[in-house]
Amino acid sequence: MATHLIGLLLGTEDDWPTAFEQYLARLAPRIELDGETHEVATERVTIEPFDLRQPVRHALVIDRLAYWYDHPREWLKKIALMDRAYLLNNPFTFQAMEKHAGYCAAIRLGFEVPATWLLPHKVPPENERFAPTASRYNRAFDLAAVGERVGYLMHVQAGVEGYDIFTRGLAIGPQTMVTHYDPTKPLHLRYQVDHDFLTPELGNEIVTFGLSVGAFFRWEFNSFEVIVRDGACYPIDFANATPDMAIISLHYYFPWALCALAKWSLYCAVTGRAMRLDTEIGRWYAVADDPGLGWEEKLAAYRGLVDDYYEADRFAEFCDRHLANAEECMADYIASGEFDDHLVATIQRAFPPHEHEQFIAHYRGLLGAWVNDQRAAVSP
């Protein structure tokens, strides 16, 4: 019997971690693989001094903290380099919100990123060497002039005005959910329950982009935003160290996200999938620079690199064989009193008392609709 420990490295959030723990306890997978029985346990990681040579107990760590906290970030790098622990996001390419590197990669691969500029700091770093360095080498610039040239200031990026569709996707391993998103709404109303808002061609390009930027940087737990205008796709945001997993915001899509995270974590832990810290950028550039390929052919080639990196066929076979009941188990969990208690407690923490009744009914309705849709999809 082999038991694989999944560590949750968390900050302040408690809604999805508690649901993740409750769901895995219900799923309770006992997986027969290569002549051995495999089980999985979870634990919340604590932050302590550590010896660089100290072995780690975790087979896999889901990180939601190290993008801003340097101590656990260095621990993640240590366990990736020395202990073969699996991390869903490569800590060497996913530092604190390095969005501009993501923009550069997407531009280099041929995606239509709006014009984007990187500006020097308005507030200088706290370093006594900054002032003399700036006096020698920093050139003064007119921010308004940069804004006028780009067209709109948002991370100093051209705004895609008059867009037709705003999408937000969540990519967990090779699994992707693209949603119709309205950033102008309050947080609990931004994700629209809408299943047919993209043509197959646009859907394929957006999914391929989200999976490609993940495979390119070795980011396996990431969200991304793509705007559609006049039939063209414009990626605008796709480096999210802690992608949205909140019940309050995801509502109808929360069960899918939780199930996808569980399946990919189980696959990586049980099969002993090794992290590929080398990014093999040359393979991607060979596609981008091939003059004989049109855009649709490049998308297909990128998808091939994605499937290779994520072991897509092997993952699908693993889920079919060992986790065929994962969605049914999720529907039972979401419909359970255990989850309803957790949902109510989450809502009570998130909203003022006079709004509790309204939002309890609101979220019960949305999550109940997912359960109904899920059961209808699998019924004979």
Side-chain angles (χ1 to χ4, degrees), residues 163 166-168 179-183 187 190-192 225:
Y163 61 82
F166 195 116
T167 74
R168 197 165 206 267
T179 65
H180 198 170
Y181 191 74
D182 187 346
L187 182 63
R190 292 180 184 175
Y191 292 89
Q192 310 294 301
E225 295 177 353

Side-chain angles (χ1 to χ4, degrees), residues 34-348:
D34 299 329
E36 190 170 15
T37 301
H38 300 261
E39 294 186 339
V40 174
T42 63
E43 117 177 330
R44 300 195 181 192
V45 179
T46 55
I47 300 166
E48 310 170 33
F50 62 90
D51 183 339
L52 295 184
R53 292 183 173 84
Q54 177 182 334
V56 70
R57 297 178 297 111
H58 305 92
L60 180 146
V61 175
I62 300 173
D63 166 38
R64 303 282 292 183
L65 179 63
Y67 77 101
W68 65 267
Y69 198 163
D70 58 352
H71 181 277
R73 183 161 66 240
E74 293 308 310
W75 178 72
L76 290 175
K77 291 178 180 178
K78 165 259 191 299
I79 68 174
L81 288 170
M82 300 183 67
D83 302 302
R84 284 181 55 85
Y86 200 86
L87 308 177
L88 298 191
N89 290 330
N90 183 334
F92 301 98
T93 64
F94 218 153
Q95 292 297 323
M97 312 308 279
E98 291 178 342
K99 293 183 181 295
H100 286 89
Y103 291 138
C104 291
I107 292 169
R108 184 67 174 79
L109 296 181
F111 291 94
E112 289 293 332
V113 176
T116 306
W117 286 41
L118 178 59
L119 303 181
H121 293 286
K122 178 180 180 181
V123 178
E126 295 182 4
N127 190 306
E128 62 183 10
R129 294 168 292 185
F130 178 80
T133 300
S135 66
R136 292 179 185 177
Y137 301 114
N138 279 30
R139 296 179 60 185
F141 64 94
D142 185 339
L143 181 60
V146 174
E148 182 178 350
R149 182 168 179 178
V150 174
Y152 182 71
L153 290 178
M154 178 180 178
H155 296 292
V156 197
Q157 185 176 83
V160 184
E161 302 291 346
Y163 61 82
D164 302 310
I165 304 170
F166 195 116
T167 74
R168 197 165 206 267
L170 181 60
I172 303 176
Q175 308 156 103
T176 307
M177 174 66 72
V178 177
T179 65
H180 198 170
Y181 191 74
D182 187 346
T184 68
K185 299 284 189 182
L187 182 63
H188 64 284
L189 295 176
R190 292 180 184 175
Y191 292 89
Q192 310 294 301
V193 181
D194 188 354
H195 304 301
D196 298 306
F197 60 96
L198 293 171
T199 66
E201 295 76 18
L202 288 171
N204 175 66
E205 181 169 344
I206 292 171
V207 168
T208 299
F209 168 74
L211 290 173
S212 293
V213 75
F216 184 94
F217 282 112
R218 310 318 197 206
W219 301 341
E220 301 175 9
F221 189 19
N222 187 35
S223 59
F224 58 94
E225 295 177 353
V226 179
I227 286 177
V228 177
R229 183 178 68 187
D230 298 330
C233 296
Y234 298 91
I236 62 166
D237 188 16
F238 38 87
N240 294 285
T242 57
D244 191 354
M245 283 289 291
I247 298 173
I248 295 298
S249 54
L250 289 179
H251 51 78
Y252 179 91
Y253 297 102
F254 177 76
W256 177 90
L258 200 67
C259 191
L261 181 61
K263 289 195 293 187
W264 184 242
S265 298
L266 289 168
Y267 171 77
C268 294
V270 170
T271 64
R273 175 174 161 88
M275 287 191 69
R276 285 163 61 176
L277 297 176
D278 54 320
T279 54
E280 303 174 301
I281 289 175
R283 299 179 70 195
W284 298 83
Y285 286 174
V287 175
D289 296 339
D290 189 335
L293 296 179
W295 182 236
E296 295 299 326
E297 294 169 310
K298 288 183 179 181
L299 288 176
Y302 290 149
R303 198 60 170 267
L305 294 175
V306 164
D307 290 347
D308 173 71
Y309 173 68
Y310 286 118
E311 303 171 347
D313 290 341
R314 187 184 180 202
F315 173 64
E317 180 183 2
F318 179 89
C319 291
D320 288 344
R321 181 177 179 183
H322 303 293
L323 300 174
N325 67 325
E327 283 78 10
E328 179 182 355
C329 180
M330 179 59 72
D332 291 342
Y333 169 58
I334 297 297
S336 71
E338 181 182 35
F339 178 76
D340 189 67
D341 290 344
H342 178 51
L343 175 65
V344 170
T346 299
I347 292 167
Q348 290 173 339

